[in-house]
Amino acid sequence: MFALRSRTLATTMFAFIFSAGLLAAQPSHADDKLPNVMILATGGTIAGTGATSTTTVGYTAAKVGVDRLIEAVPELKKVANVKGEQVFQIASENMTNDHWLKLAKRVNQLLAQPDVDGIVITHGTDTIEETAYFLDLTVHSDKPVVIVGAMRPSTAISADGPINLYNAVTLAGSKDAIGKGVLVSFNDQINAGREVTKTNTSTADTFKTPELGFLGYMQDNAAHFYRLPLRKHTTQSEFDVSSLDSLPQVDIVYGYANNNRIALDAFVAAGAKGIIHAGVGDGSISDAMKPGLIEARQKGVVVVRSSRVGQGIVARNGEANDDQLDFVVSDTLNAQKARILLMLALTKTNDTKAIQQMFYTY
Ligand code: ASP
């Protein structure tokens, strides 16, 4: 009985200290002159291990814990007071809306603390671009948030994880990164969360912002910026997930030759509130798919025309009469990023004019 009561007391005290924000995020031996950077680990290849040093495919992602990731790069201590937290440990193809909500809430909670100057998130590369955009729209702070990963597992010759992590921590502690939205630091380059995309299945230079270009370089222990993202993000974003425990169902259907509407109908029957159509070319819709999208819209499902091309603006009233069909266009967002914006938009409104405006704003 006594043991039970004292455990309850201890739990209550811990909960009080934690909720009061009195639990220091940084170690007691912290150097006052260095920024305080929290590393939130989520898994991926950066935490992966292979059978041999030459295993660069066929390894297991999400094996190494955050403390070992930090220990493997002692140079981090020269650029920041770092502390790690294992938020989850997954290969990023298993990322879900629930993981994103948990991550966004934790990032917002930490950035509200005066003793946290920036955050690095270690992440599998497959869905980095999605998590980066989700956080770009749901983190409400100017403080730097940098997402990083690796294309080679931690056990490989020339693993890219350590240098990528070092650059990410340097960037997250840099005053130059303040107010620039969520950033992806990889292969000595800095990309904007809204724009970045994975362009190669396996090479270390996979992250790019095709056509519009990356924001800057990480070189010689410093960030060098040359351009800025102009779309609204972070502190200017209207999306607030702090009280949400789920997001509306939005699914993606793909355009291709000999197209059909089977997957679309299944998504709508399963309760999708929004559909992203990754059309061919400028978001064109096949005659086989179009009636399904029209019926979905008549049932109240919001339809967004994106493109499988990956570059360029999907023109409103171009390849479809969006005004007449009451469809939305994705602007330059690829289908997986358009899915994120539509989910967040649907937490606020079902009005397609307002949603279209969001696609031109974020
Ligand atoms: N499948 C891995 C993941 O996204 C690949 C990687 O991290 O590079 O977790």
Side-chain angles (χ1 to χ4, degrees), residues 301-315:
V301 177
V302 175
V303 175
V304 174
R305 286 199 303 120
S306 178
S307 169
R308 69 176 197 177
V309 170
Q311 263 74 244
I313 301 167
V314 175

Side-chain angles (χ1 to χ4, degrees), residues 29-299:
H29 55 270
D31 179 337
D32 289 350
K33 288 190 247 11
L34 292 178
N36 297 328
V37 174
M38 277 293 292
I39 301 179
L40 302 183
T42 72
T45 295
I46 192 167
T49 55
T52 72
S53 61
T54 53
T55 304
T56 54
V57 292
Y59 54 86
T60 316
K63 281 279 167 209
V64 177
V66 66
D67 292 340
R68 267 180 63 203
L69 282 183
I70 294 172
E71 277 161 26
V73 193
E75 294 84 355
L76 296 179
K77 294 196 187 71
K78 293 185 189 156
V79 290
N81 300 309
V82 288
K83 194 170 178 236
E85 183 176 307
Q86 194 76 46
V87 189
F88 31 83
Q89 181 70 298
I90 59 169
S92 77
E93 56 269 33
N94 298 319
M95 192 61 66
T96 64
N97 294 349
D98 290 347
H99 289 113
W100 282 339
L101 289 172
K102 180 174 179 185
L103 191 59
K105 286 174 191 174
R106 188 65 184 131
V107 169
N108 277 315
Q109 195 179 34
L110 284 166
L111 292 181
Q113 291 184 203
D115 63 347
V116 176
D117 297 311
I119 288 186
V120 167
I121 298 167
T122 61
H123 198 292
T125 59
D126 292 349
T127 57
I128 273 187
E129 66 190 87
E130 293 176 57
T131 301
Y133 190 44
F134 184 78
L135 295 178
D136 203 43
L137 297 173
T138 56
V139 168
H140 297 286
S141 172
D142 265 348
K143 293 179 185 176
V145 176
V146 180
I147 311 193
V148 68
M151 288 302 285
R152 301 183 189 128
S154 64
T155 43
I157 300 174
S158 295
D160 51 340
I163 182 68
N164 283 349
L165 183 60
Y166 175 77
N167 280 336
V169 169
T170 305
L171 181 59
S174 156
K175 294 216 175 344
D176 292 339
I178 292 171
K180 294 192 168 64
V182 172
L183 302 170
V184 173
S185 172
F186 218 98
N187 196 43
D188 301 344
Q189 294 175 345
I190 307 162
N191 279 282
R194 181 188 184 276
E195 321 291 351
V196 68
T197 192
K198 189 172 187 181
T199 63
N200 187 290
T201 56
S202 28
T203 60
D205 64 347
T206 185
F207 283 102
K208 298 209 159 66
T209 298
E211 299 196 334
L212 296 178
F214 59 91
L215 305 181
Y217 298 99
M218 292 305 299
Q219 188 172 300
D220 211 12
N221 310 303
H224 306 263
F225 280 96
Y226 295 88
R227 58 189 89 245
L228 277 178
L230 292 179
R231 291 302 178 97
K232 285 190 179 177
H233 56 73
T234 56
T235 51
Q236 301 164 318
S237 169
E238 66 197 273
F239 305 112
D240 179 7
V241 295
S242 60
S243 60
L244 298 181
D245 50 22
S246 67
L247 292 167
Q249 184 188 332
V250 174
D251 293 295
I252 300 173
V253 295
Y254 207 78
Y256 48 91
N258 205 41
N259 212 192
N260 65 64
R261 53 181 278 185
I262 298 169
L264 168 65
D265 289 344
F267 285 137
V268 174
K273 301 284 180 288
I275 290 287
I276 308 297
H277 179 260
V280 293
D282 189 10
S284 305
I285 306 168
S286 67
D287 288 345
M289 182 75 84
K290 200 174 213 171
L293 291 173
I294 292 170
E295 284 167 35
R297 181 67 204 118
Q298 281 161 354
K299 289 181 183 151

